[in-house]
Amino acid sequence: MDTDSMYFSIAGSQTEGYKQGLKYVIKDQLFYDLHNKERLPWDNCTVAKEKRLMNLTTESQGENIICLAPKCYSLYNGNEQNEDIVSLVNRMKGVSEKKTNLTNDDYIKCLNDGGVALSLAKKKRIIELSEKKKLSFTKISQKQGIPYETVRQVLLHRNNLLEPKKRGPKPKVAVRAFRRISRYLKKTSKSIPQNINKSAKKRLRRRPKLTERHIAKRIQFAEEFLLNDQSKKTEIIFSDEKKFRFDGPDGWAYYWYSLDEKDDNSIYSKDYGKYKGVMVLATINSAGILSHDRMQGSITAVVQRELLLSQVFPSIHTELGEQFKYQMDSASCHKNKETLKDLESYGFSFLDWPALSPDLNPVENMWSILVRKVYEDGVNYENEEDLWAGIQGAGRKITKKDILLLNNSFQKRFTELLKRGGKYVQ
């Protein structure tokens, strides 16, 4: 019952004061009708309201109610066990009922799940702990830090695992209508209005535009490499850095994938500008992933040098000795002259890699494989330690065969680049 704006006229003694309680209850309907307006005068009041005893009425009524908090409730008829539910009223303080499309199932799910939304990956983990490790509900709850009731509900509905439905308001423009508008605008050469653009699917960042100088350098590098057949003379180590975020790939996609791979829906990070995540430096060659190491703090030439000498160089020495060439892109932290001289004194020999050439680097394709495994089943991470553990686990799943296919495509990329006149390789 909502009583914050309700008035009661139940006491009838003027001498006893407010402490009279229920001693002098008004029972005379005629007396009540005569003195009704004295306690609360109304303007433009209807006859029906004046004749209503005690001025009380029922706004809505039903068989069941779920009240999660003040001003937050769901009223419904039926039994959720039989899935025969008729939703009557859904209220939430400060939330538009029409825009959010709240249903009775949302309130029931909130109670059953203990208020915790789980990704598909976490649900699979709970099922795995129950079926393979034979842990009890209580043990799983303690181990995963998830409410007991949430664990029970996941295991109860293990045969109907689905990705959680997206919340929020419905799109202003339906998908079919948006396609029709887009086709019309293309034909008429008109720009898409801003409000229409917002309902479109987010696109990946475009590749940098190649100037004539970039194209000439790319062609020169490809021709020299193929003529000298450098890949047969010495082993090449490919390297690259990438930042992994807590809730998915960052969307700044400079990596390519094989055309025969199954195309899947990308999951984009939503924490832009907060700089949360883990930066990783990876090196690969024909032997597989040589190293993938975490980079701490700001990425400077000093940080790069320390990581190469302490982590990357030992891994390369173990596999190849000192007969190799190391590939780096044209980032400022890679091109510091003092750092390069220092690294060369330790046995590093570098490829003269052309600028704006991520399409020639097989590590970019490796990131594509690693990202799919790190964020498999829509998993999110709570902190940097969990994310780094997920990256390490995903890296161990990538086989030597996967990397060998990428590494062997290196010369084919150069051939394709020359065919395309120095432009990006698809």
Side-chain angles (χ1 to χ4, degrees):
M1 180 179 290
D2 192 354
T3 61
D4 60 349
S5 59
M6 189 177 293
Y7 296 85
F8 292 89
S9 295
I10 57 175
S13 174
Q14 296 181 354
T15 58
E16 292 290 332
Y18 67 92
K19 293 184 177 180
Q20 62 187 283
L22 300 177
K23 187 176 180 180
Y24 300 98
V25 177
I26 299 175
K27 298 180 180 178
D28 188 345
Q29 176 70 56
L30 181 61
F31 175 85
Y32 180 84
D33 291 341
L34 288 173
H35 298 282
N36 182 28
K37 290 188 178 182
E38 293 178 9
R39 68 171 184 92
L40 185 65
W42 291 347
D43 294 328
N44 302 322
C45 184
T46 64
V47 176
K49 287 183 178 179
E50 285 189 6
K51 294 298 182 181
R52 187 183 299 138
L53 182 61
M54 302 297 292
N55 300 112
L56 301 179
T57 186
T58 303
E59 181 181 332
S60 55
Q61 60 185 3
E63 298 174 0
N64 309 287
I65 189 168
I66 296 174
C67 188
L68 303 176
K71 304 286 187 180
C72 178
Y73 61 88
S74 176
L75 186 70
Y76 64 97
N77 290 337
N79 188 345
E80 59 267 20
Q81 300 297 331
N82 301 328
E83 297 184 355
D84 185 19
I85 295 176
V86 178
S87 184
L88 302 174
V89 178
N90 294 297
R91 295 279 190 272
M92 185 171 289
K93 182 72 172 179
V95 175
S96 171
E97 299 168 39
K98 293 181 179 179
K99 290 184 178 180
T100 52
N101 301 315
L102 288 172
T103 66
N104 173 258
D105 291 337
D106 296 324
Y107 290 84
I108 294 175
K109 187 177 186 303
C110 189
L111 289 179
N112 292 338
D113 290 352
V116 177
L118 299 181
S119 65
L120 191 60
K122 287 187 177 180
K123 291 179 181 179
K124 287 183 177 180
R125 177 59 179 164
I126 291 173
I127 294 171
E128 181 184 352
L129 291 174
S130 174
E131 294 180 350
K132 293 185 179 180
K133 297 193 176 182
K134 308 298 181 184
L135 296 184
S136 64
F137 292 180
T138 304
K139 290 288 186 183
I140 297 174
S141 175
Q142 294 172 350
K143 187 177 179 66
Q144 297 296 307
I146 297 172
Y148 176 91
E149 183 61 22
T150 304
V151 174
R152 192 183 74 84
Q153 288 296 325
V154 170
L155 295 175
L156 186 64
H157 302 96
R158 70 184 70 188
N159 295 327
N160 296 317
L161 282 186
L162 297 173
E163 193 71 36
K165 293 182 179 179
K166 294 182 178 179
R167 302 293 181 192
K170 291 182 178 180
K172 294 181 180 179
V173 182
V175 176
R176 183 179 179 185
F178 178 76
R179 288 200 299 264
R180 294 177 64 185
I181 293 170
S182 299
R183 286 197 295 267
Y184 169 76
L185 292 173
K186 286 180 180 178
K187 289 180 181 178
T188 56
S189 301
K190 295 180 180 180
S191 60
I192 299 178
Q194 189 175 1
N195 62 331
I196 297 294
N197 232 351
K198 288 182 180 178
S199 60
K201 185 177 179 181
K202 181 177 176 63
R203 293 183 181 273
L204 296 177
R205 183 181 175 184
R206 298 183 64 142
R207 291 177 289 190
K209 184 178 179 180
L210 294 172
T211 64
E212 292 183 2
R213 179 175 61 85
H214 292 132
I215 291 175
K217 286 284 186 182
R218 282 162 59 89
I219 293 174
Q220 180 184 354
F221 179 75
E223 289 176 343
E224 290 178 357
F225 189 92
L226 293 174
L227 287 173
N228 297 330
D229 205 4
Q230 291 188 34
S231 60
K232 290 185 178 180
K233 294 179 181 179
T234 183
E235 189 70 34
I236 298 175
I237 309 297
F238 297 98
S239 69
D240 192 39
E241 299 92 1
K242 178 173 177 59
K243 188 159 191 175
F244 289 79
R245 301 191 183 261
F246 292 165
D247 58 346
D250 56 14
W252 301 90
Y254 284 135
Y255 51 78
W256 281 253
Y257 61 91
S258 301
L259 294 177
D260 57 350
E261 286 184 15
K262 183 180 179 182
D263 189 19
D264 59 347
N265 294 325
S266 297
I267 305 169
Y268 297 106
S269 171
K270 298 177 182 177
D271 72 345
Y272 291 115
K274 298 182 182 178
Y275 306 106
K276 296 179 180 178
V278 173
M279 180 69 82
V280 179
L281 169 65
T283 57
I284 68 170
N285 76 328
S286 57
I289 298 179
L290 294 177
S291 66
H292 56 289
D293 300 290
R294 182 177 176 180
M295 304 183 77
Q296 303 277 10
S298 301
I299 310 305
T300 63
V302 175
V303 172
Q304 184 84 8
R305 172 190 175 279
E306 293 299 325
L307 182 62
L308 289 174
L309 293 179
S310 62
Q311 302 290 337
V312 179
F313 204 32
S315 301
I316 296 174
H317 266 310
T318 303
E319 290 288 334
L320 307 171
E322 296 185 357
Q323 300 301 317
F324 66 89
K325 277 189 174 292
Y326 193 82
Q327 175 272 331
M328 291 193 301
D329 59 30
S330 301
S332 58
C333 61
H334 298 160
K335 295 301 180 182
N336 183 278
K337 293 182 179 180
E338 292 182 4
T339 303
L340 289 177
K341 276 186 178 182
D342 197 11
L343 291 173
E344 286 173 353
S345 68
Y346 283 95
F348 273 84
S349 177
F350 299 99
L351 280 178
D352 186 18
W353 193 257
L356 300 185
S357 299
D359 54 328
L360 304 180
N361 190 352
V363 183
E364 300 288 354
N365 300 74
M366 190 275 292
W367 291 136
S368 174
I369 300 172
L370 188 61
V371 159
R372 286 180 172 88
K373 296 183 183 297
V374 171
Y375 302 104
E376 194 172 20
D377 294 328
V379 65
N380 293 336
Y381 297 93
E382 303 293 334
N383 51 61
E384 292 184 3
E385 286 67 32
D386 290 346
L387 176 56
W388 176 233
I391 295 170
Q392 289 178 307
R396 287 190 289 269
K397 295 179 183 178
I398 299 178
T399 64
K400 179 180 176 180
K401 183 180 178 181
D402 295 331
I403 302 300
L404 189 60
L405 290 172
L406 301 178
N407 194 78
N408 291 344
S409 69
F410 184 51
Q411 289 190 344
K412 294 180 182 178
R413 297 175 193 226
F414 282 148
T415 305
E416 185 66 23
L417 180 145
L418 294 174
K419 287 181 180 178
R420 295 178 58 82
K423 295 181 180 180
Y424 282 120
V425 177
Q426 299 297 323

